[in-house]
Coordinates of all heavy atoms in Angstrom, one line a residue:
M15 N 112.8 99.0 135.0 CA 112.4 100.1 135.8 C 112.9 101.4 135.1 O 112.1 102.3 134.9 CB 112.9 100.0 137.2 CG 112.5 101.2 138.0 SD 113.0 100.9 139.7 CE 114.2 102.2 139.9
F16 N 114.1 101.4 134.7 CA 114.7 102.6 134.0 C 114.1 102.8 132.6 O 113.9 103.9 132.2 CB 116.2 102.5 134.0 CG 116.8 102.6 135.3 CD1 117.4 101.5 135.9 CD2 116.7 103.7 136.1 CE1 118.0 101.5 137.1 CE2 117.2 103.8 137.4 CZ 117.9 102.7 137.9
T17 N 113.8 101.7 131.9 CA 113.2 101.8 130.6 C 111.9 102.4 130.7 O 111.5 103.2 129.9 CB 113.2 100.4 129.9 OG1 114.5 99.9 129.8 CG2 112.6 100.5 128.5
A18 N 111.1 101.9 131.6 CA 109.7 102.5 131.7 C 109.7 103.9 132.1 O 108.9 104.7 131.7 CB 108.9 101.6 132.8
G19 N 110.7 104.3 132.9 CA 110.8 105.7 133.3 C 111.2 106.6 132.2 O 110.8 107.8 132.1
G20 N 112.0 106.1 131.2 CA 112.4 106.9 130.1 C 111.5 106.7 128.8 O 111.7 107.3 127.8
S21 N 110.4 105.9 129.0 CA 109.6 105.6 127.8 C 108.9 106.8 127.3 O 108.8 107.0 126.0 CB 108.5 104.6 128.3 OG 107.7 104.3 127.2
A22 N 108.4 107.7 128.1 CA 107.7 108.9 127.6 C 108.7 109.8 126.8 O 108.3 110.3 125.7 CB 107.1 109.7 128.8
A23 N 109.9 110.0 127.3 CA 110.8 110.8 126.6 C 111.2 110.2 125.2 O 111.3 110.9 124.2 CB 112.1 111.0 127.4
L24 N 111.4 108.8 125.2 CA 111.7 108.2 124.0 C 110.6 108.2 123.0 O 110.8 108.5 121.8 CB 112.1 106.7 124.2 CG 113.4 106.4 125.0 CD1 113.5 105.0 125.4 CD2 114.6 106.9 124.2
T25 N 109.4 108.1 123.4 CA 108.2 108.2 122.5 C 108.1 109.6 122.0 O 107.8 109.7 120.8 CB 107.0 107.7 123.3 OG1 107.2 106.4 123.8 CG2 105.7 107.7 122.4
A26 N 108.2 110.6 122.8 CA 108.1 111.9 122.4 C 109.1 112.3 121.4 O 108.9 113.0 120.4 CB 108.2 112.9 123.6
R27 N 110.3 111.8 121.6 CA 111.4 112.1 120.6 C 111.2 111.3 119.3 O 111.5 111.9 118.3 CB 112.8 111.6 121.3 CG 113.9 112.2 120.7 CD 113.9 113.7 120.9 NE 115.2 114.2 120.7 CZ 115.5 115.5 120.6 NH1 114.5 116.3 120.8 NH2 116.7 115.9 120.4
T28 N 110.6 110.1 119.4 CA 110.3 109.4 118.2 C 109.3 110.2 117.3 O 109.4 110.3 116.1 CB 109.8 108.0 118.5 OG1 110.8 107.3 119.2 CG2 109.4 107.2 117.3
V29 N 108.2 110.7 118.0 CA 107.2 111.4 117.3 C 107.8 112.7 116.7 O 107.5 113.1 115.6 CB 106.0 111.8 118.2 CG1 105.1 112.7 117.6 CG2 105.3 110.5 118.6
A30 N 108.6 113.4 117.5 CA 109.2 114.7 117.0 C 110.2 114.4 115.8 O 110.2 115.3 114.9 CB 110.0 115.3 118.1
A31 N 110.8 113.3 115.8 CA 111.8 113.0 114.7 C 111.1 112.5 113.4 O 111.7 112.5 112.3 CB 112.8 112.1 115.2
A32 N 109.9 112.0 113.6 CA 109.2 111.3 112.4 C 108.7 112.4 111.4 O 108.3 113.5 111.8 CB 108.1 110.5 112.9
D33 N 108.6 112.0 110.2 CA 108.0 112.8 109.2 C 106.5 112.9 109.5 O 105.9 111.9 109.9 CB 108.2 112.1 107.8 CG 107.6 112.8 106.6 OD1 107.3 114.0 106.8 OD2 107.3 112.1 105.6
K34 N 105.9 114.1 109.4 CA 104.5 114.3 109.8 C 103.6 113.3 109.1 O 102.6 112.9 109.7 CB 104.1 115.7 109.5 CG 104.8 116.7 110.4 CD 104.3 118.1 110.1 CE 105.0 119.0 111.1 NZ 104.6 120.4 111.0
A35 N 103.8 113.0 107.8 CA 103.0 112.1 107.1 C 103.1 110.6 107.6 O 102.3 109.8 107.2 CB 103.3 112.1 105.6
R36 N 104.1 110.3 108.3 CA 104.4 108.9 108.7 C 104.4 108.7 110.2 O 104.9 107.7 110.7 CB 105.7 108.4 108.1 CG 105.7 108.4 106.6 CD 107.0 107.9 106.1 NE 107.1 108.0 104.7 CZ 107.0 106.9 103.9 NH1 106.8 105.8 104.4 NH2 107.0 107.1 102.6
R37 N 103.9 109.7 111.0 CA 104.0 109.6 112.4 C 103.2 108.4 113.0 O 103.7 107.7 113.9 CB 103.4 110.8 113.1 CG 104.5 111.9 113.0 CD 104.1 113.1 113.8 NE 105.2 114.1 113.7 CZ 105.1 115.3 114.1 NH1 103.9 115.8 114.5 NH2 106.1 116.2 114.0
G38 N 102.0 108.0 112.4 CA 101.3 106.9 112.9 C 102.0 105.6 112.6 O 102.1 104.7 113.5
A39 N 102.6 105.4 111.4 CA 103.4 104.2 111.1 C 104.6 104.2 112.0 O 105.0 103.1 112.4 CB 103.8 104.2 109.6
T40 N 105.2 105.3 112.2 CA 106.4 105.3 113.1 C 106.1 104.9 114.5 O 106.8 104.1 115.1 CB 107.0 106.8 113.1 OG1 107.4 107.1 111.8 CG2 108.3 106.8 114.0
M41 N 105.0 105.4 115.0 CA 104.6 105.0 116.4 C 104.2 103.5 116.4 O 104.5 102.8 117.4 CB 103.4 105.8 116.9 CG 103.8 107.3 117.2 SD 105.2 107.3 118.4 CE 104.5 106.4 119.8
G42 N 103.6 103.0 115.4 CA 103.3 101.6 115.3 C 104.5 100.7 115.4 O 104.6 99.7 116.1
L43 N 105.5 101.1 114.6 CA 106.7 100.3 114.5 C 107.5 100.4 115.9 O 108.0 99.5 116.4 CB 107.6 100.8 113.4 CG 108.9 100.0 113.2 CD1 108.7 98.5 112.9 CD2 109.7 100.6 112.1
H44 N 107.5 101.6 116.4 CA 108.1 101.9 117.7 C 107.5 100.9 118.8 O 108.2 100.3 119.6 CB 107.9 103.3 118.1 CG 108.4 103.8 119.4 ND1 109.7 104.1 119.6 CD2 107.8 103.9 120.6 CE1 109.9 104.4 120.9 NE2 108.7 104.3 121.5
S45 N 106.2 100.8 118.8 CA 105.5 100.0 119.8 C 105.7 98.5 119.5 O 106.0 97.8 120.5 CB 104.0 100.3 119.7 OG 103.7 101.6 120.1
V46 N 105.7 98.1 118.3 CA 105.9 96.7 118.0 C 107.3 96.2 118.4 O 107.5 95.2 119.0 CB 105.7 96.4 116.5 CG1 106.3 95.1 116.1 CG2 104.2 96.5 116.1
C47 N 108.3 97.1 118.1 CA 109.7 96.7 118.5 C 109.8 96.7 120.0 O 110.5 95.8 120.5 CB 110.7 97.7 117.9 SG 110.8 97.6 116.1
G48 N 109.2 97.6 120.7 CA 109.3 97.6 122.1 C 108.7 96.4 122.8 O 109.3 95.8 123.7
Y49 N 107.5 96.1 122.4 CA 106.8 95.0 123.0 C 107.4 93.6 122.6 O 107.4 92.7 123.3 CB 105.3 95.0 122.6 CG 104.6 96.1 123.4 CD1 104.0 97.2 122.7 CD2 104.5 96.0 124.8 CE1 103.3 98.2 123.5 CE2 103.8 97.0 125.5 CZ 103.2 98.1 124.8 OH 102.6 99.0 125.5
A50 N 107.9 93.6 121.3 CA 108.6 92.3 120.9 C 109.8 92.1 121.7 O 110.1 90.9 122.1 CB 108.9 92.4 119.4
G51 N 110.6 93.1 121.9 CA 111.8 93.0 122.8 C 111.5 92.6 124.2 O 112.1 91.8 124.8
G52 N 110.4 93.2 124.7 CA 109.9 92.8 126.1 C 109.4 91.4 126.2 O 109.5 90.8 127.3
F53 N 109.0 90.8 125.1 CA 108.6 89.4 125.1 C 109.7 88.5 124.8 O 109.8 87.5 125.5 CB 107.5 89.2 124.0 CG 107.0 87.8 123.9 CD1 106.2 87.2 124.9 CD2 107.4 87.1 122.8 CE1 105.8 85.9 124.7 CE2 107.0 85.8 122.7 CZ 106.2 85.2 123.6
I54 N 110.5 88.8 123.8 CA 111.6 87.8 123.4 C 112.8 87.9 124.4 O 113.4 86.8 124.6 CB 112.0 88.1 122.0 CG1 110.8 87.9 121.0 CG2 113.2 87.3 121.6 CD1 111.0 88.3 119.6
G55 N 113.1 89.0 124.9 CA 114.3 89.1 125.8 C 114.2 88.1 127.0 O 115.2 87.4 127.2
P56 N 113.1 88.1 127.8 CA 113.1 87.1 128.9 C 113.1 85.7 128.4 O 113.6 84.8 129.1 CB 111.7 87.5 129.6 CG 111.5 88.9 129.2 CD 112.0 89.1 127.8
L57 N 112.6 85.4 127.2 CA 112.7 84.0 126.7 C 114.1 83.7 126.5 O 114.5 82.5 126.8 CB 111.9 83.9 125.4 CG 110.4 84.0 125.6 CD1 109.7 83.9 124.2 CD2 109.8 83.0 126.5
G58 N 114.9 84.6 125.9 CA 116.3 84.3 125.7 C 117.1 84.2 127.0 O 118.0 83.3 127.0
V59 N 116.8 85.0 128.0 CA 117.4 84.8 129.3 C 117.1 83.4 129.9 O 118.0 82.7 130.3 CB 117.0 86.0 130.2 CG1 117.5 85.7 131.6 CG2 117.6 87.3 129.7
G60 N 115.8 83.1 129.8 CA 115.4 81.8 130.4 C 116.1 80.6 129.6 O 116.5 79.6 130.2
L61 N 116.1 80.7 128.3 CA 116.7 79.6 127.5 C 118.2 79.5 127.9 O 118.7 78.4 128.1 CB 116.6 79.9 126.0 CG 117.2 78.9 125.1 CD1 116.4 77.6 125.2 CD2 117.1 79.4 123.6
A62 N 118.9 80.6 128.0 CA 120.3 80.6 128.3 C 120.6 80.0 129.7 O 121.5 79.2 129.9 CB 120.9 82.0 128.3
L63 N 119.7 80.3 130.6 CA 119.9 79.8 132.0 C 119.5 78.3 132.0 O 120.1 77.5 132.8 CB 119.0 80.6 133.0 CG 119.5 82.0 133.3 CD1 118.5 82.7 134.2 CD2 120.8 82.0 133.9
D64 N 118.5 77.9 131.2 CA 118.2 76.5 131.2 C 119.3 75.6 130.5 O 119.6 74.5 131.0 CB 116.9 76.3 130.3 CG 115.6 76.7 131.1 OD1 115.7 76.8 132.3 OD2 114.6 76.8 130.5
L65 N 119.9 76.2 129.5 CA 121.0 75.4 128.8 C 122.3 75.4 129.6 O 123.0 74.4 129.7 CB 121.2 76.0 127.4 CG 120.1 75.9 126.5 CD1 120.4 76.6 125.2 CD2 119.8 74.4 126.2
A66 N 122.7 76.5 130.2 CA 124.0 76.6 130.9 C 123.9 76.5 132.4 O 124.9 76.3 133.0 CB 124.6 78.0 130.5
G67 N 122.7 76.5 133.0 CA 122.6 76.4 134.4 C 122.4 77.7 135.1 O 123.2 78.6 134.9
W68 N 121.3 77.8 135.9 CA 121.0 79.0 136.6 C 121.9 79.3 137.7 O 122.0 80.5 138.2 CB 119.6 79.0 137.1 CG 119.4 77.9 138.2 CD1 119.0 76.6 138.0 CD2 119.5 78.1 139.6 NE1 118.9 76.0 139.2 CE2 119.3 76.8 140.2 CE3 119.9 79.2 140.4 CZ2 119.4 76.6 141.6 CZ3 120.0 79.0 141.8 CH2 119.7 77.7 142.3
D69 N 122.7 78.3 138.2 CA 123.6 78.6 139.3 C 125.1 78.7 138.9 O 125.9 78.6 139.7 CB 123.5 77.4 140.3 CG 123.7 76.1 139.7 OD1 123.8 76.0 138.5 OD2 123.9 75.1 140.5
S70 N 125.3 78.9 137.6 CA 126.7 79.1 137.1 C 126.9 80.5 136.6 O 126.0 81.2 136.1 CB 127.0 78.1 136.0 OG 126.3 78.4 134.8
V71 N 128.1 80.9 136.7 CA 128.5 82.2 136.1 C 128.3 82.2 134.6 O 127.9 83.2 134.0 CB 130.0 82.6 136.5 CG1 130.4 83.8 135.8 CG2 130.1 82.7 138.0
T72 N 128.7 81.1 134.0 CA 128.5 81.0 132.5 C 127.1 81.2 132.1 O 126.8 81.9 131.1 CB 129.0 79.7 132.0 OG1 130.4 79.5 132.5 CG2 128.9 79.5 130.5
G73 N 126.1 80.6 132.9 CA 124.7 80.8 132.5 C 124.3 82.2 132.6 O 123.6 82.7 131.7
W74 N 124.7 82.9 133.6 CA 124.3 84.3 133.8 C 125.0 85.2 132.8 O 124.4 86.2 132.3 CB 124.5 84.8 135.2 CG 123.4 84.3 136.1 CD1 123.5 83.2 137.0 CD2 122.1 84.7 136.2 NE1 122.3 83.0 137.6 CE2 121.4 83.9 137.1 CE3 121.4 85.7 135.6 CZ2 120.1 84.1 137.5 CZ3 120.0 85.9 135.9 CH2 119.4 85.1 136.8
A75 N 126.2 84.9 132.4 CA 127.0 85.6 131.4 C 126.3 85.5 130.1 O 126.1 86.4 129.3 CB 128.4 85.1 131.3
L76 N 125.8 84.3 129.7 CA 125.1 84.0 128.5 C 123.7 84.7 128.5 O 123.3 85.2 127.5 CB 125.0 82.5 128.2 CG 126.2 81.8 127.8 CD1 125.9 80.3 127.7 CD2 126.7 82.3 126.5
A77 N 123.1 84.7 129.7 CA 121.8 85.3 129.8 C 121.8 86.7 129.5 O 120.9 87.3 128.8 CB 121.2 85.0 131.2
F78 N 122.7 87.5 130.1 CA 122.8 88.9 129.8 C 123.6 89.2 128.5 O 123.4 90.2 127.9 CB 123.4 89.6 131.0 CG 122.5 89.7 132.2 CD1 122.6 88.9 133.3 CD2 121.4 90.6 132.1 CE1 121.7 88.9 134.3 CE2 120.5 90.6 133.2 CZ 120.7 89.8 134.3
G79 N 124.6 88.3 128.2 CA 125.4 88.6 127.1 C 124.7 88.4 125.7 O 125.1 89.0 124.7
H80 N 123.6 87.6 125.7 CA 122.9 87.5 124.5 C 122.2 88.8 124.0 O 121.8 88.9 122.9 CB 121.8 86.3 124.6 CG 120.5 86.8 125.0 ND1 120.2 87.0 126.4 CD2 119.4 87.0 124.3 CE1 118.9 87.4 126.5 NE2 118.4 87.4 125.3
L81 N 122.1 89.7 124.9 CA 121.5 91.0 124.6 C 122.4 91.9 123.8 O 121.9 92.7 123.0 CB 121.0 91.7 125.9 CG 120.0 91.0 126.8 CD1 119.8 91.7 128.1 CD2 118.7 90.8 126.0
A82 N 123.7 91.8 124.0 CA 124.6 92.7 123.3 C 124.6 92.6 121.8 O 124.5 93.6 121.1 CB 126.1 92.4 123.8
P83 N 124.6 91.4 121.2 CA 124.5 91.3 119.7 C 123.2 91.9 119.2 O 123.1 92.6 118.2 CB 124.6 89.9 119.4 CG 125.2 89.2 120.6 CD 124.8 90.1 121.8
V84 N 122.1 91.7 120.0 CA 120.8 92.2 119.5 C 120.8 93.7 119.5 O 120.3 94.4 118.6 CB 119.7 91.7 120.5 CG1 118.3 92.3 120.1 CG2 119.6 90.2 120.4
V85 N 121.4 94.3 120.6 CA 121.5 95.8 120.6 C 122.4 96.3 119.5 O 122.0 97.3 118.9 CB 122.0 96.2 122.0 CG1 122.3 97.7 122.0 CG2 121.0 95.9 123.1
L86 N 123.5 95.7 119.3 CA 124.4 96.1 118.2 C 123.8 96.0 116.8 O 123.9 96.9 116.0 CB 125.7 95.4 118.3 CG 126.6 95.7 119.5 CD1 127.8 94.7 119.5 CD2 127.0 97.1 119.4
I87 N 123.0 94.9 116.6 CA 122.3 94.8 115.3 C 121.3 95.9 115.1 O 121.2 96.5 114.1 CB 121.7 93.4 115.2 CG1 122.8 92.3 115.0 CG2 120.7 93.3 114.0 CD1 122.3 90.9 115.2
G88 N 120.5 96.1 116.2 CA 119.5 97.2 116.1 C 120.1 98.6 115.9 O 119.6 99.3 115.1
F89 N 121.2 98.8 116.6 CA 121.9 100.1 116.4 C 122.4 100.2 114.9 O 122.2 101.3 114.3 CB 123.1 100.2 117.3 CG 123.9 101.5 117.1 CD1 123.4 102.7 117.6 CD2 125.2 101.4 116.5 CE1 124.2 103.8 117.4 CE2 125.9 102.5 116.3 CZ 125.4 103.8 116.8
T90 N 123.0 99.2 114.4 CA 123.4 99.2 113.0 C 122.3 99.4 112.0 O 122.4 100.2 111.1 CB 124.2 97.9 112.7 OG1 125.2 97.7 113.6 CG2 124.7 97.9 111.2
I91 N 121.2 98.8 112.2 CA 120.0 99.0 111.3 C 119.5 100.4 111.4 O 119.2 101.0 110.4 CB 118.9 98.0 111.7 CG1 119.3 96.5 111.3 CG2 117.6 98.3 111.0 CD1 118.4 95.5 111.9
L92 N 119.4 100.9 112.6 CA 118.9 102.3 112.7 C 119.9 103.3 112.1 O 119.4 104.3 111.5 CB 118.8 102.7 114.2 CG 117.6 102.0 114.9 CD1 117.5 102.4 116.4 CD2 116.3 102.5 114.2
R93 N 121.2 103.1 112.2 CA 122.1 104.0 111.6 C 122.0 104.0 110.1 O 122.1 105.0 109.4 CB 123.6 103.7 112.0 CG 123.9 104.0 113.5 CD 123.8 105.5 113.7 NE 125.0 106.1 113.1 CZ 125.2 107.4 113.0 NH1 124.3 108.2 113.6 NH2 126.2 107.9 112.4
R94 N 121.8 102.8 109.5 CA 121.7 102.6 108.1 C 120.4 103.3 107.6 O 120.4 103.9 106.5 CB 121.8 101.2 107.6 CG 123.2 100.6 107.8 CD 123.3 99.2 107.2 NE 124.6 98.7 107.4 CZ 125.5 98.7 106.4 NH1 125.3 99.2 105.3 NH2 126.7 98.2 106.7
L95 N 119.3 103.1 108.3 CA 118.0 103.6 107.9 C 118.0 105.1 108.0 O 117.3 105.8 107.3 CB 116.9 103.0 108.8 CG 116.6 101.6 108.5 CD1 115.5 101.1 109.5 CD2 116.1 101.4 107.0
S96 N 118.8 105.7 109.0 CA 118.8 107.1 109.2 C 119.6 107.9 108.1 O 119.4 109.1 108.0 CB 119.3 107.5 110.6 OG 120.7 107.3 110.6
G97 N 120.4 107.1 107.4 CA 121.2 107.8 106.3 C 122.2 108.7 106.9 O 122.6 109.7 106.3
G98 N 122.7 108.5 108.1 CA 123.7 109.3 108.7 C 123.1 110.6 109.2 O 123.8 111.6 109.4
A99 N 121.8 110.7 109.4 CA 121.1 111.9 109.9 C 121.7 112.3 111.3 O 122.0 111.5 112.1 CB 119.6 111.7 110.0
R100 N 121.8 113.6 111.5 CA 122.4 114.1 112.7 C 121.2 114.2 113.7 O 120.1 114.4 113.4 CB 123.0 115.4 112.5 CG 124.2 115.4 111.5 CD 124.9 116.7 111.4 NE 125.4 117.2 112.6 CZ 126.6 116.9 113.1 NH1 127.4 116.0 112.5 NH2 127.0 117.4 114.2
P101 N 121.5 113.9 115.0 CA 120.5 114.0 116.0 C 120.0 115.4 116.2 O 120.7 116.4 115.9 CB 121.2 113.6 117.3 CG 122.6 113.4 117.0 CD 122.8 113.6 115.5
M102 N 118.7 115.5 116.6 CA 118.1 116.8 116.8 C 118.6 117.5 118.0 O 118.9 116.8 119.0 CB 116.6 116.6 116.9 CG 115.9 116.2 115.6 SD 114.1 115.8 115.8 CE 113.5 117.1 116.8
T103 N 118.7 118.8 118.0 CA 119.1 119.5 119.2 C 117.8 119.9 119.9 O 116.7 119.8 119.4 CB 119.9 120.8 118.9 OG1 119.1 121.6 118.0 CG2 121.2 120.4 118.2
S104 N 117.9 120.4 121.1 CA 116.7 120.6 121.9 C 115.9 121.7 121.3 O 114.7 121.8 121.6 CB 117.1 121.0 123.4 OG 117.9 122.2 123.3
G105 N 116.4 122.6 120.5 CA 115.6 123.7 119.9 C 114.9 123.3 118.6 O 114.1 124.1 118.1
Q106 N 115.3 122.2 118.0 CA 114.7 121.8 116.8 C 113.3 121.1 116.9 O 113.1 120.4 117.9 CB 115.6 120.8 116.0 CG 116.8 121.5 115.4 CD 117.6 120.4 114.7 OE1 117.9 119.3 115.2 NE2 118.0 120.7 113.5
R107 N 112.5 121.2 115.9 CA 111.2 120.4 115.9 C 110.9 120.0 114.5 O 111.2 120.6 113.6 CB 110.1 121.3 116.5 CG 110.3 121.4 117.9 CD 109.0 121.7 118.6 NE 109.4 121.8 120.0 CZ 108.6 121.6 121.0 NH1 107.4 121.3 120.7 NH2 109.0 121.7 122.2

């Protein structure tokens, strides 16, 4: 629910930060990553619950805990790709 609510702001920021010559490719990659995560995430949660048990604390800890390494890997990749670029302020375009 919260991700869908912030989607327009994230997409607008992605377009604003992209090089003008690569905006289409940037939006394509943005969409692919978003939809892939929306597809693979629930599969990972389901697999964790199937393996550890849906009625156990361990199962639910694994179900939500498997997301943390994925987020950290994504953050690391983005930081490396950005070359340490500073975030845009509200007045920049």
Side-chain angles (χ1 to χ4, degrees):
M15 181 172 116
F16 294 112
T17 302
S21 178
L24 291 172
T25 302
R27 201 61 163 171
T28 300
V29 171
D33 180 20
K34 289 182 181 183
R36 297 180 185 256
R37 283 190 177 162
T40 301
M41 287 305 303
L43 183 61
H44 178 84
S45 296
V46 166
C47 291
Y49 286 114
F53 175 74
I54 294 171
L57 293 177
V59 171
L61 180 65
L63 290 175
D64 284 345
L65 293 176
W68 64 271
D69 57 347
S70 71
V71 173
T72 304
W74 285 101
L76 288 173
F78 287 104
H80 90 280
L81 300 172
V84 174
V85 170
L86 290 174
I87 290 168
F89 177 74
T90 303
I91 290 170
L92 288 175
R93 290 294 290 174
R94 288 187 183 259
L95 289 175
S96 71
R100 300 184 59 84
M102 292 174 43
T103 60
S104 60
Q106 286 181 313
R107 290 203 180 204

